Each structure stands twice: as C-alpha cells, then as structure tokens.
Amino acid sequence: MSIERQEKRQGAALVAPALLWTLGFFVIPFAAMVMMSLAHLEGREIVQGHDLGNYLRIFTDPSLRRGIFVSLEITAVVTVVSVLLAWPLAWIIATRVPARWRRMALLLAVLPFWTSYVVRSYSWALVLGEKGVVMNALVGLGLLAEPVQIMATRSATIIGFVHFFVMLLTLTIYSNLIQLSPNYARAAEDLGASKWQVIRLVILPLTLPGVMTGAFLTFVLCIGDYITPQILGGNNELTLPQLIMLQLGRRGDFPMASALSVVLMVIVTLAYAACARWLKMERV
Amino acid sequence: MKYLSWAYLVALFGFILLPVVTLVIFSFQDGRLPVPPFKGVTFEWYAKILTDRAMMEALGNSLIVALLSPLVALTLGFLAASGLARVVLPGSVLMRGLLIAPMTVSYLIIALGLLQMFNQIGIRPSLLATGIGHVVINLPLCFAILYAAIGEHQKSALKAARDLGAREWQVLWFVAAPMLTPALAAAFFLAFTFSWDEFIIAFLLTRFDVTLPVEIWSMLRSGLSPATNAVGSLVFLVSVIVVVALELTLFRKGSK
Amino acid sequence: MTADVHVKAVEHRFNSFTALHRVDLQIAAGEFIVLLGPSGCGKTTLLSIIGGFLTPSEGQVLIGGRDMTHVAPKDRPTTTMFQDYALFPHMSLRDNVAFGLRMRGMAKAARNAKALEMLEMVGLADKAARRPHELSGGMRQRVALARALAVEPDVLLLDEPLGALDLKLRRQMQEELKAIQRRVGTTFVHVTHDQEEAMAIADRIVVMNHGRIEHCGTPEEVYLTPKTMFSADFMGETNRIPVSPAGAGVTSQLGLLAIAPAEGTLCLRPESIGLTGAFSLGRATLVEAAFYGSYHRCHFRPLAAPEMLLTAHLPQGEHPRPGAEVELFGRNPVVLAPVAKAAA
C-alpha cells in the first residue's frame, strides 16, 4: 500500500466517527422528516403517502399561510432594527470608549446573554406587563394616562427579539471593527475626509461582512425561535415555530409539522443564498 | 458628537440591562407578584427554589447534559478536524460542508427530526436522547473552531511528530491536543453554554428527567412569580461568575 | 507642490516614556529625507508628528513656514503612505486614488482622469478597475503611492513603505520611488530601518536612536564620517581600534599610527583596510578568507596584537592565502570620542 493511501486511510478513520454521527442523527432524521411531510393524518393514524397535500394546505389555509408572513415580517423588522441599534453601539465601544474600559463596556453590553434564554424572555414579560416597570414609570411620570397593552402583542415579541439580537450583532460588528487597521480611518482623514465621511465611505462598507454575518445569524435564529413569541407574543398571532409546536401538541400531526419545518428550512436556505456573497466576502 | 455618543451608550445600556436588573431586584420581592411597588427584601423565594426537589433534579440533569454532550462533540470534532487537516481526501469539501450543516438549521427542526426517528426506532424521550441532540448541535461548532485553529504552523508540527516516529494516537495526544488547548477550551466553553441554555430539543426529547430550562418553562405556566425571578437570578449569577473567571484567567493572556 | 519642513525642539512623551528628546530638524523643499534607526528609536513617532497623527508634548512643526503643530492631518499639506498601505478594499484602484480628490469636491470626470494619470505614472493604468486584493504587494505599494500623490501634497510621508516587500522587489521599488520623487519634486520624508535602502534613496539620512538624532547628513557623510559610534555601527560593519594621541600621530595596540592625533576609537570600514592605503596598520597574518563575489572578505590577525581580529574587504583578484603575512594599510580614518563624551 502506498504511503499516500495509508495517510488517506488514517485521515478517513479520524473523520469517520463525526461523519457517522452527523449522518445518523442529522441527515437520516432530516430525510425522515421530509418523507413524513409527504404523509398525512387520518384520525390519529399517520398514513404514508407521496403527495404534496400538506404543502398545498400551507399555502391555501389562511391561518397557516398567515404564520409564514407573520414570521417573515417579525424577522425582517427585528433584523433591521437590531442592525440599526447595534452598529452605533459597537462603533462607540470600539472607537469612543477609552481602550482601558473597552472590554469592560463590551462585557456589560452583552451581560444579559448569560441569563438563560427562557428567563430573558420572562424578564421582558415582567418589564412590559400592565403592572410592569415600564408602564409604572410612564404612568407615574404622567406620559400615559393609563397602561397600554404591549404584552401578548407583536411589539412585545419584537422588543424581546431586538434585545437579544442587539447584543449578538454588537459582538459580531465590534469584532469586525476592532480588526480593521486604524490606518484605514487615518488614511481617509489624511486625504481630507470628514469624520462622517470616514464612517460612511470607509468604515461602514468595511464592516459589511460583519454586519451581514450577524444579520444572517439574526435571521436564522429569529425565524426559528419558539420561546420568545410564545412567552411575549402570546397566541393572538402565531409564528411558524409556534404553528409547528401547535401541530405536535394538539393533534400529534407530525406530517403537517414536518411540512412546516421544511418550509422554514427553505426560507432559511433562500436567506443564505441571498447573503452568501457577503458571508464569504474577501477581507484584505 | 461626544455627548451624543455617551447619551447613546447610556440609553442602549439601559435598554440592554433593564430586564436583567428588574429580574434580580424583584427576586427579593416580599410579596406574591414580582412587579412594582417593591415591598421589601426577602430571601424566601431563594430558599423555596433551593429546596425544591424538581428544580434541583433539573439542575443536576442540566449539568450532566451540559458537561457530557460537549465532551462527546469535542472528541468527535477534534478527531475529524485533525483528520481533514492532515490529508486531502476525496470529497473533503463535501465532508466539511456536511459536518457544518447542522449549524444552519433551526434547533426546532433538528429536534423534530430526532423525535420522529426516536419514535420510530423506539427510543423513549430521555436525557440520553437530549444529549444526542445536543451533540448534533455542538459538533459543527467544535469542528469549525478546531479546524480553523489548525493552521500551516500546526500542520507542520503534526508532520514533524509523525516524522519523529509518533503513532497516530501519540500525535493527537502529545502534540495536537496540547497545541490546540486554547481552541479546545473555547469550543468546550461555548458548547457548554449552548447545551446548558438549550430549550427546544430538551423540551421535545425529554419527558420526566427534564433540564433546567424546561423546568423553568413549566414554572412560567403558573404566571409571574418572584420564585421564577429567583431561579433566573441564580442562573445569571452563576454564568456571570464563570464568564468573569474565564475573562480573568483563560482569555486574559490571549487578548491582552 | 513642495515645501520645507522645520521641526523645532519637538519632545514627545507616552506616559512616562520619552519617545523624542527635543528633536530639531530642518528639511529643505524637494528634499528626499530618510529617517533611519532601529525599531523604537522614535522615527515613526517623528513621522506621525509631522503628519499630524500625534501632537507633540512640546515643540513646533512648521511646514512651508506655517505653524502646523495643532492642525489636523487633513488640513496639512502632507499625506501619509502607511506601512500596511491602508488601501480601501471595497473600492477599485481608480476610486482609491481618486478618494482624496473626491474629498476635495472635485467633479467625477476630472478626478477619474487625474486618478488614471496617477496610475499611469506608477504603471498600473490598465488595472484601474481592479480591487486591491487582486494585486501583488509591490503593486499595492504603487497604488498607495499614487493615492497619496494624487492630492498633490507639499510633503509626502512614507512609513516603512517597502517593509512588506521581498528584498529584490524592495531594491527595484527604491529606484522607482527615487525617480518619482525627482519627477514630482515633492518633499519626501521616508522612515526605514534598512540602512542600504536609506543610502540608496536619500538626499540626506537622519540616523536616530533612543529618541535622539545621532547624525544627519548625506549618505556619504553618514557612512564615511559617522559622528557617533551608534551611527558608525548602524550604517555598516566597522573595525574598532582604541587610540590615544602621541606626537604627530596616535598610539594603539598596533603601535604608532600616522593619523591626526586624537583620543578615542579609530573606526575603519572593512573596505578601508587593504594592501595599500594612506597609513600603515603594521603586519598581520591572514587567518581566513571567503569569496563574496565583488570582494574577498578576510580576517587578519595583527602581529602586534594577536588577540585582535581585523576584517578587511579586499578587491577581487588580490589573491590572499590563509597563513600569509602581509602589511595592512588603512584609509578614511575616523576617530570617535569615547562613548561617555559622545552622549553628553
């Protein structure tokens, strides 16, 4: 046996366990799920089939179709608002905060990351509730005559999401900013750019890879999350993950849940295709 | 510009910290509801939580899963990364893609797929099932971190070790692992946090031996309570201590 | 298009560390000045102060006779070429070069024409639409030069611009840099730690060490008649022979030498020692010789001082044989006062 072949065999032997695990517990379940999405429920029995009935229903049944749009709308708003809020924050921490306090400021900016995800949503329910801190303060200060309903609305879901993703995006954008040679800004300034021009023409475009990576992550995590809309948004309008969980819980409708999951998966893949150009962008 | 910057910083920090601060403050609420007005300090809720058997069991389960599943993921990821970094195999790109793929899929979908498969082959929802699911989500992470950490310099060191007569396991144990310690530690730490905090897989794949997030979830059904605040504050406190400790030890040298 | 630079008693401190000790420097308009020294000698700090990226703790910077000490970089008649070039990766070469003109409000057609003209000058006009990452290191360096010169600065500041290039390319770029400087007539202030590079391009070299100027002069002056032991060593190899005055000459371990009386260390470059010359160094044995192409590098052991080893570069064709005993002669003697005095 040649040395090269022996090398390859040993390499393959090292990769094999991880590959088998991924195959067994990711690829096969996933394939099974796609198969399941083609089946349908009769009574409480799952009948295997090869029709696209479930998919047809998703796009015709108003309540299911609505779920896709609700999810897309919420995710789009959350992604845009989070980027808009996080970019200046990351920029201020990276360039305006004295170097000595920088890590401290960053740590503080992502501190709530370290509470559990479920608890974080719960604490927003605490804050935004009718008797919560925010309404108390607003009514107390005379800004509102009486509490406004935020909890169990889309606003609450969006606030909860934005809170989490501002932290995430601040991290990705900050790490992008801090890697940029300070000479980019110096060179631009040296050539006559104003502070605003430096940001707009040089720094902002250079952070695009970080922004897009963060935005893509936000999109994927946001559209697939069940906890935040369930705790904060309530059951008035359901997102895609809520609909999936509803199929499972209420009727054990695995075929429909699977079909909805496949749709979710396709949306994420499309989002990836749209961002791929930026996610791989070469950095000089 | 300067004042605007500082005002923005303060406003955003306020937004970011508001829920956590509220959570912690009202965990001491001397009353039935964790909302204003604040009625005084009591530790009753903490005592209640710490003596709650279901809660403590969930804590134990969470620790088991969060410690063991990253270990499995780390081992698999380490072997795969050193294998793929060593030789160009036919289909290397495909293998890398396959190993990374679960990262781009929502946990809910992974959980649903596993639930269906386990149902069909007769594996009951359990801590083991949850652990398997957590390895699936953490393996791509561990692999990606370690694969990225093996640069040209590391590759030549591994070659040198083999050239000097080390067997494959010796290369991995005496050279690769010590050389990649920072990456291994970072990957383990990240995988630990992901597993520790993971909800949906644990929710769908356990029935009786639930983890902490699932236990907290079921507490939420009974509405707002300072007891939930107390659990949340404790989880937060422990995490912050771990992060600060890491910041002061592990990451200090590297980040300078 | 060009201006003189006057650095007046500039002192700079970072916390407790003094990077520059009251440095004075006059640079004439159109001159090619090289700041030369080891890392940490203060040369980059001085460049940053001239460019406006640092404000000196004390002292003044005058450019074209105007006080620029507290003027922002963009309002100075200087541009800087950065060590890492800092080309904007998201812009084409043309947009990079035109950036400064755009900031000055020049119309698009005009600035693109000017940018092309500048790219033409550095031989990259055909690549105007490319992005920086598609170029080799040497090409990027040229684009950075074109970008800095496009705004027609009076003074161009170059921070180790050739540091990232390999040796051969570096030598080639040196000649190009010099030629371009002659053509545009702009004052160039160039920082490097490579003494060969400094000699190849400079009108005048400023040798710096520990935040002070050790010597400032033409390459010939700095190399042949160094003022301090540091600049003697930094510019090239030297043989050192302690001497003290005796009558019309000096006395040393080699005996009496026929040079002007002085106390200190006699410094002789290897090529200043040979089989003929201005004064005798006594007889010596050839210990070892190696052929370096353009010269033979020889180690001699003087008969009068067997513990000493003299290094000489003998011209090609003079065939020394190890073990042979010859009489050595010196040229271009430089006697430097003892270090303690030099520092005072």
Side-chain angles (χ1 to χ4, degrees):
Chain A
M1 189 162 59
S2 76
I3 293 171
E4 284 84 359
R5 276 188 55 193
Q6 199 178 340
E7 281 273 294
K8 281 186 179 171
R9 260 168 75 137
Q10 284 189 349
L14 291 174
V15 189
L19 273 181
L20 286 177
W21 190 283
T22 307
L23 217 60
F25 297 118
F26 174 70
V27 177
I28 292 177
F30 189 73
M33 200 180 75
V34 174
M35 289 300 295
M36 180 66 89
S37 75
L38 302 175
H40 62 273
L41 211 59
E42 272 175 22
R44 300 197 67 87
E45 286 297 306
I46 293 165
V47 180
Q48 293 298 339
H50 301 283
D51 61 284
L52 296 172
N54 290 323
Y55 294 98
L56 218 61
R57 242 185 76 207
I58 291 173
F59 291 100
T60 49
D61 183 328
S63 71
L64 294 176
R65 196 173 53 186
R66 176 127 186 80
I68 297 176
F69 288 114
V70 168
S71 272
L72 282 174
E73 279 166 22
I74 289 179
T75 304
V77 171
V78 165
T79 307
V80 170
V81 171
S82 302
V83 168
L84 290 180
L85 285 177
W87 205 94
L89 182 62
W91 182 79
I92 290 169
I93 294 177
T95 63
R96 283 285 171 273
V97 172
R100 210 164 1 138
W101 300 106
R102 215 168 278 159
R103 279 193 80 81
M104 191 62 192
L106 190 68
L107 210 64
L108 206 61
V110 299
L111 198 67
F113 236 40
W114 310 111
T115 54
S116 110
Y117 195 94
V118 174
V119 171
R120 202 173 318 115
S121 291
Y122 164 78
S123 53
W124 272 110
L126 214 59
V127 170
L128 295 174
E130 208 174 318
K131 294 176 183 161
V133 181
V134 170
M135 286 307 148
N136 246 292
L138 289 178
V139 173
L141 289 170
L143 294 171
L144 282 179
E146 55 188 61
V148 176
Q149 161 104 17
I150 296 184
M151 269 306 291
T153 68
R154 187 188 285 200
S155 308
T157 307
I158 289 175
I159 291 174
F161 270 139
V162 165
H163 178 245
F164 180 71
F165 292 115
V166 160
M167 295 190 279
L168 184 88
L169 280 158
T170 301
L171 272 181
T172 62
I173 297 171
Y174 173 85
S175 65
N176 198 161
L177 277 170
I178 211 83
Q179 276 172 15
L180 293 182
S181 160
N183 284 346
Y184 286 127
R186 282 196 201 131
E189 247 174 79
D190 190 37
L191 292 168
S194 67
K195 290 233 181 300
W196 173 238
Q197 280 173 319
V198 172
I199 294 179
R200 189 167 59 91
L201 299 174
V202 179
I203 306 299
L204 203 58
L206 287 178
T207 54
L208 216 52
V211 170
M212 291 311 284
T213 311
F216 174 68
L217 263 175
T218 302
F219 187 93
V220 173
L221 294 175
C222 183
I223 204 161
D225 184 42
Y226 167 68
I227 302 170
T228 304
Q230 184 66 20
I231 295 181
L232 295 175
N235 290 319
N236 292 331
E237 55 173 15
L238 297 181
T239 61
L240 211 40
Q242 284 177 295
L243 281 172
I244 295 173
M245 292 299 279
L246 194 67
Q247 308 304 320
L248 291 183
R250 204 166 48 185
R251 310 195 294 141
D253 191 346
F254 276 92
M256 192 43 142
S258 299
L260 285 167
S261 298
V262 172
V263 170
L264 179 56
M265 183 75 201
V266 168
I267 293 174
V268 169
T269 309
L270 288 178
Y272 178 79
C275 300
R277 186 159 86 92
W278 301 103
L279 298 178
K280 277 189 221 156
M281 180 171 148
E282 196 150 354
R283 299 177 201 188
V284 178
Chain B
M1 189 96 154
K2 197 174 172 189
Y3 294 109
L4 205 64
S5 291
W6 288 110
Y8 190 82
L9 200 67
V10 170
L12 264 263
F13 273 20
F15 170 65
I16 287 171
L17 298 175
L18 174 68
V20 182
V21 171
T22 312
L23 177 83
V24 174
I25 288 177
F26 285 99
S27 69
F28 298 108
Q29 173 79 306
D30 194 0
R32 296 268 311 283
L33 278 177
V35 290
F38 191 64
K39 291 178 184 154
V41 175
T42 174
F43 289 93
E44 157 195 1
W45 302 109
Y46 285 91
K48 187 176 173 222
I49 286 305
L50 290 172
T51 52
D52 182 336
R53 254 192 65 204
M55 192 58 75
M56 288 303 111
E57 264 173 33
L59 176 74
N61 288 337
S62 264
L63 280 175
I64 292 171
V65 174
L67 285 171
L68 292 185
S69 75
L71 272 184
V72 177
L74 202 58
T75 310
L76 294 175
F78 172 63
L79 293 178
S82 37
L84 281 177
R86 178 176 168 184
V87 279
V88 180
L89 296 166
S92 274
V93 179
L94 194 73
M95 287 188 211
R96 280 210 301 275
L98 188 63
L99 288 175
I100 301 286
M103 211 162 17
T104 58
V105 177
S106 301
Y107 289 179
L108 175 57
I109 297 179
I110 292 174
L112 191 58
L114 281 173
L115 178 63
Q116 289 178 16
M117 188 177 86
F118 288 160
N119 272 348
Q120 265 163 25
I121 60 178
I123 295 181
R124 286 293 181 80
S126 64
L127 210 54
L128 178 69
T130 302
I132 290 174
H134 283 187
V135 175
V136 172
I137 60 167
N138 282 326
L139 178 54
L141 187 81
C142 293
F143 170 74
I145 291 176
L146 293 171
Y147 187 76
I150 305 180
E152 283 310 314
H153 170 71
Q154 280 77 7
K155 280 184 201 173
S156 3
L158 297 183
K159 245 184 226 159
R162 267 179 235 119
D163 188 43
L164 293 169
R167 288 157 175 280
E168 196 54 41
W169 69 266
Q170 288 172 316
V171 173
L172 293 176
W173 186 251
F174 291 118
V175 184
M179 200 162 52
L180 296 173
T181 302
L184 284 166
F188 179 82
F189 174 65
L190 261 180
F192 176 88
T193 26
F194 280 16
S195 179
W196 170 255
D197 200 19
E198 201 286 324
F199 169 76
I200 199 80
I201 295 176
F203 182 62
L204 288 176
L205 295 183
T206 54
R207 188 140 301 161
F208 304 110
D209 37 6
V210 296
T211 61
L212 200 55
V214 180
E215 181 64 28
I216 295 174
W217 176 264
S218 56
M219 268 180 90
L220 296 188
R221 295 197 175 167
S222 47
L224 305 182
S225 156
T228 314
N229 288 43
V231 187
S233 304
L234 278 179
V235 172
F236 179 53
L237 183 73
V238 172
S239 314
V240 168
I241 289 173
V242 172
V243 171
V244 170
L246 282 172
E247 171 76 17
L248 291 179
T249 56
L250 198 65
F251 295 123
R252 168 137 293 188
K253 292 170 227 150
S255 61
K256 198 194 132 168
Chain C
M1 279 297 284
T2 184
D4 63 324
V5 178
H6 190 182
V7 175
K8 267 163 108 176
V10 161
E11 175 130 345
H12 194 71
R13 292 179 293 268
F14 295 106
N15 297 323
S16 62
F17 172 70
T18 306
L20 289 174
H21 298 271
R22 294 186 63 81
V23 166
D24 284 288
L25 181 62
Q26 290 260 20
I27 301 170
E31 211 178 358
F32 200 135
I33 283 278
V34 172
L35 306 179
L36 175 69
S39 60
C41 72
K43 57 190 193 298
T44 302
T45 308
L46 182 56
L47 195 78
S48 301
I49 285 173
I50 299 174
F53 296 105
L54 285 175
T55 308
S57 312
E58 279 161 49
Q60 273 187 310
V61 176
L62 306 178
I63 300 172
R66 300 205 333 261
D67 184 0
M68 290 283 161
T69 318
H70 299 284
V71 176
K74 63 171 177 163
D75 299 321
R76 295 190 185 205
T78 59
T79 48
T80 298
M81 196 177 139
F82 294 91
Q83 189 171 10
D84 56 8
Y85 311 143
L87 294 175
F88 306 132
H90 57 293
M91 295 182 194
S92 66
L93 301 195
R94 191 186 55 223
D95 290 351
N96 261 289
V97 176
F99 186 85
L101 303 168
R102 185 177 168 195
M103 295 302 110
R104 280 158 179 72
M106 192 187 267
K108 191 164 186 171
R111 66 175 191 248
N112 282 350
K114 173 84 181 173
L116 269 180
E117 193 186 303
M118 297 310 292
L119 283 169
E120 186 87 52
M121 181 180 76
V122 296
L124 288 170
D126 56 323
K127 299 194 168 56
R130 301 272 184 94
R131 294 282 179 94
H133 64 83
E134 299 173 55
L135 304 184
S136 70
M139 290 180 187
R140 284 183 210 176
Q141 192 264 351
R142 285 181 208 169
V143 178
L145 182 66
R147 183 176 73 178
L149 285 174
V151 296
E152 303 188 352
D154 291 339
V155 181
L156 181 68
L157 307 171
L158 306 99
D159 184 6
E160 304 223 14
L162 309 178
L165 308 181
D166 63 45
L167 194 64
K168 201 172 166 192
L169 194 56
R170 205 185 307 169
R171 299 286 174 251
Q172 184 196 331
M173 290 307 302
Q174 286 164 10
E175 286 169 17
E176 275 186 38
L177 212 52
K178 179 103 178 172
I180 287 171
Q181 195 262 344
R182 289 280 173 268
R183 185 149 18 125
V184 295
T186 305
T187 310
F188 274 36
V189 184
H190 178 124
V191 159
T192 184
H193 58 261
D194 176 349
Q195 96 283 359
E196 279 188 47
E197 179 178 315
M199 286 195 280
I201 55 178
D203 291 329
R204 276 195 302 150
I205 295 176
V206 179
V207 182
M208 296 185 67
N209 189 30
H210 293 313
R212 290 192 169 84
I213 293 180
E214 295 263 339
H215 194 172
C216 176
T218 64
E220 291 85 354
E221 285 166 359
V222 173
Y223 185 79
L224 292 175
T225 54
K227 279 188 182 156
T228 64
M229 195 61 85
F230 174 82
S231 66
D233 278 342
F234 198 79
M235 294 308 296
E237 202 177 357
T238 51
N239 292 285
R240 300 186 193 187
I241 306 161
V243 294
S244 37
V250 297
T251 170
S252 75
Q253 286 160 285
L254 302 178
L256 285 171
L257 303 177
I259 59 172
E263 173 82 44
T265 306
L266 169 62
C267 296
L268 289 171
R269 299 281 181 209
E271 65 275 15
S272 299
I273 298 178
L275 304 181
T276 58
F279 56 94
S280 170
L281 292 167
R283 297 189 73 78
T285 324
L286 178 61
V287 182
E288 215 180 331
F291 180 55
Y292 270 63
S294 50
Y295 58 88
H296 296 276
R297 181 176 165 86
C298 304
H299 293 296
F300 288 100
R301 177 155 288 147
L303 296 186
E307 74 286 350
M308 191 188 276
L309 213 54
L310 294 176
T311 305
H313 291 173
L314 301 185
Q316 215 181 47
E318 290 187 9
H319 294 287
R321 273 207 180 78
E325 195 185 302
V326 292
E327 182 170 13
L328 292 177
F329 292 87
R331 279 188 306 261
N332 300 325
V334 175
V335 178
L336 294 174
V339 179
K341 267 194 208 162

